[in-house]
């Protein structure tokens, strides 16, 4: 590590969180505001600048368009949290209002099977109060005439509490207030997890200290498997590269571009006066933890042609900026792994979000804080996301993974 290592103030903590980005900070903040929790909290973060954290590379999107009931409930709470952000911080005058840019997700299907999956998901979403509409190609064209829908069979769209938001500000305030309420952050690295049978007893830091802990929480994003291996646990999570592109259009659209999920896997949306697009690489293999190199051919050979085919006005566009970030991909079922290990009960997970991490961080941070404090989930039952499903070979089905 090039960064200066910092030593913690104590030798023992009730809760140690490995990773101080969005998940570590969300859990710490929720714990710090719960009157039932009066323990000590330490967050160990490799780089407190968060330059390469997944949190820093997120596109900050939120949607209720999932097929799994719990995933929908998690995002509905996320929208409630964003819409009432100031109230969750007790109307602190320093805390800003954060709007959701609710132009919604537009899922496009080009086969009968994909259209049926969208229709079935819309039914589940509507039962939970989401405003998703299942639309024909003609209905999509009537509302958004800039699309080419010649190959489209159907689509789903929801403009209520779906779109993008300022995730960086949410992260900053969770981190700041958690620290103000006593959570300790140190720039350091856990290099060993000391497990005896069914319990974690301590961790060893790169600076040499060994710290005892009551509970240990893995919040290390794409590095989650590396962290779990130190405790002798296999976590099916690996870093996958995701590309983002900001572009300008010679002929801007006359209305907001929904966050459009093209059948090709490319997505696009409005981004202020510009537009944002993204995609996985065609060879979506795991990458090294420090590999953020860009493949510039992806824009020219894959993304731009798809944008121009779906939105003909995007034939004349100019690339403004681009970056590659990491996505903590759960190879087992592309859903989060949450809560305690079934055999090592004081080792908790917040891993494997597979692209849904920021939008789920508010509900899952609250849920894990509840579990740590009370031994049970009190708001949304997150037990379907437990590690035990992996040991049992029982995947959690979610059809709407981007």
């Amino acid at each position: 590590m090039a960064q200066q290592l910092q030593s913690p103030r104590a030798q023992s903590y009730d809760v140690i969180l490995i990773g101080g980005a969005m998940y570590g900070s969300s859990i710490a903040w929720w714990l710090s505001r719960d009157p039932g929790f009066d323990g000590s909290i330490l967050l160990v973060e490799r780089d407190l600048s968060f330059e390469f954290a997944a949190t820093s590379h997120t596109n900050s999107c939120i949607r209720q368009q999932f097929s799994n009931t719990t995933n929908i409930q998690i995002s509905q709470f996320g929208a409630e949290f964003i819409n009432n952000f100031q109230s969750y911080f007790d109307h602190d005058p320093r805390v800003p209002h954060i709007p959701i840019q609710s132009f919604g997700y537009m899922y496009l299907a080009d086969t009968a099977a994909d259209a049926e999956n969208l229709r079935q998901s819309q039914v589940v979403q509507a039962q939970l109060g989401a405003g998703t509409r299942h639309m024909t190609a003609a209905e999509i064209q009537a509302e958004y005439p800039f699309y080419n829908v010649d190959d489209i069979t159907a689509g789903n769209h929801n403009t209520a509490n779906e779109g993008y938001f300022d995730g960086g500000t949410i992260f900053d305030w969770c981190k700041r207030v958690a620290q103000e309420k006593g959570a300790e952050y140190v720039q350091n690295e856990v290099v060993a997890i000391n497990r005896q049978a069914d319990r974690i007893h301590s961790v060893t830091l790169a600076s040499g200290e060994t710290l005892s802990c009551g509970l240990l929480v893995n919040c290390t994003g794409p590095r989650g498997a590396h962290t779990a291996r130190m405790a002798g646990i296999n976590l099916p999570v690996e870093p996958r590269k995701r590309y983002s592109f900001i572009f300008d259009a010679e002929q801007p659209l006359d209305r907001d571009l929904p966050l459009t999920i093209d059948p090709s896997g490319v997505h696009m949306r409005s981004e202020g006066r510009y537009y944002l697009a993204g995609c996985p690489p065609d060879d979506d293999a795991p990458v090294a933890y420090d590999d953020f190199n860009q493949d510039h051919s992806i824009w020219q050979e894959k993304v731009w042609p798809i944008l121009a085919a779906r939105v003909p006005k995007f034939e004349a566009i100019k690339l403004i900026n681009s970056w590659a970030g990491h996505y903590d991909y759960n190879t087992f079922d592309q859903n989060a792994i949450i809560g305690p290990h079934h055999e090592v009960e004081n080792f908790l997970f917040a891993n494997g979000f597979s692209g849904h991490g920021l939008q789920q961080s508010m509900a899952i941070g609250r849920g894990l804080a509840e579990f740590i404090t009370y031994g049970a989930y009190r708001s949304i039952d997150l037990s379907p996301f437990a590690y035990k499903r992996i040991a049992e070979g029982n995947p959690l089905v979610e059809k709407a993974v981007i």
Side-chain angles (χ1 to χ4, degrees), residues 31 33-39 372-374 378:
L31 281 172
R33 72 189 302 273
D34 193 315
F37 180 82
D38 61 358
I372 290 167
T373 304
Y374 305 106
R378 290 188 163 190

Side-chain angles (χ1 to χ4, degrees), residues 56-363:
S56 302
H57 294 97
T58 179
N59 292 339
S60 296
C61 302
I62 189 164
R63 60 183 164 108
Q64 295 164 53
Q65 291 193 61
F66 289 93
S67 65
N68 178 278
T69 297
T70 309
N71 277 331
I72 298 168
Q73 292 173 327
I74 286 169
S75 282
Q76 287 179 322
F77 176 70
E80 177 194 325
F81 182 91
I82 298 165
N83 288 330
N84 298 282
F85 185 62
Q86 291 168 312
S87 68
Y88 279 98
F89 287 81
D90 302 317
H91 298 285
D92 185 328
R94 301 174 299 167
V95 175
H97 168 67
I98 298 180
I100 299 176
Q101 305 297 329
S102 291
F103 42 61
Y105 277 62
M106 175 72 80
Y107 277 85
L108 299 175
D110 60 358
T111 68
D114 287 345
E116 178 59 18
N117 281 337
L118 289 181
R119 188 195 65 77
Q120 292 175 5
S121 295
Q122 187 274 336
V123 171
V124 176
Q125 293 155 21
Q127 288 171 345
L128 292 173
T132 312
R133 293 181 297 154
H134 187 63
M135 303 173 72
T136 66
E139 289 170 334
I140 294 169
Q141 182 98 77
E143 293 193 27
Y144 296 97
F146 50 72
Y147 287 126
N148 170 15
V149 295
D150 290 348
D151 61 332
I152 295 303
T153 307
N156 276 6
H157 190 215
N158 175 18
T159 56
N161 289 325
E162 276 201 356
Y164 75 96
F165 61 99
D166 183 355
T169 294
I170 288 180
F171 167 52
D172 287 343
W173 278 102
C174 286
K175 176 166 59 73
R176 179 184 301 190
V177 175
Q179 289 177 291
E180 290 175 354
K181 291 180 176 291
E184 182 183 349
Y185 284 65
V186 294
Q187 185 163 270
N188 213 312
E189 184 174 2
V190 171
V191 294
I193 295 175
N194 308 309
R195 171 183 168 184
Q196 297 179 18
D198 61 352
R199 288 195 64 80
I200 305 299
H201 283 264
S202 62
V203 299
T204 301
L205 303 184
S207 52
E209 296 91 344
T210 295
L211 311 174
S212 62
C213 60
L215 287 167
L216 184 66
V217 190
N218 183 350
C219 302
T220 50
R223 293 177 176 266
H226 170 74
T227 300
R229 277 195 298 272
M230 289 189 280
I233 294 170
N234 177 49
L235 189 68
V237 171
E238 60 189 28
R240 300 278 186 95
K241 201 174 283 189
R242 291 296 180 267
Y243 293 89
S244 296
F245 307 92
I246 302 292
F247 65 94
D248 197 5
E250 185 176 286
Q251 299 182 66
L253 305 179
D254 63 356
R255 63 202 74 188
D256 285 330
L257 173 65
L259 202 161
T260 306
I261 312 300
D262 190 80
S264 65
V266 170
H267 59 84
M268 61 186 108
R269 74 170 198 222
S270 291
E271 176 81 0
R273 62 156 289 189
Y274 298 119
Y275 300 92
L276 180 146
C279 69
D282 290 333
D283 179 15
D284 193 14
V287 298
Y289 295 128
D290 59 353
D291 177 7
F292 292 92
N293 294 327
Q294 296 186 58
D295 179 351
H296 296 285
S297 70
I298 288 177
W299 168 256
Q300 193 72 27
E301 297 175 9
K302 177 180 180 178
V303 177
W304 190 351
I306 289 170
L307 298 179
R310 184 62 58 207
V311 180
K313 283 191 173 183
F314 287 167
E315 289 184 1
I317 56 180
K318 178 183 179 181
L319 185 63
I320 302 295
N321 191 18
S322 64
W323 64 90
H326 287 178
Y327 176 110
D328 56 329
Y329 187 83
N330 176 357
T331 61
F332 181 68
D333 62 11
Q334 295 80 64
N335 275 292
I337 302 165
I338 302 299
H341 189 269
H342 59 294
E343 294 176 344
V344 188
E345 294 184 355
N346 71 332
F347 189 30
L348 277 62
F349 298 96
N351 302 102
F353 294 96
S354 302
H356 311 142
L358 195 69
Q359 66 181 292
Q360 295 191 324
S361 63
M362 291 71 96

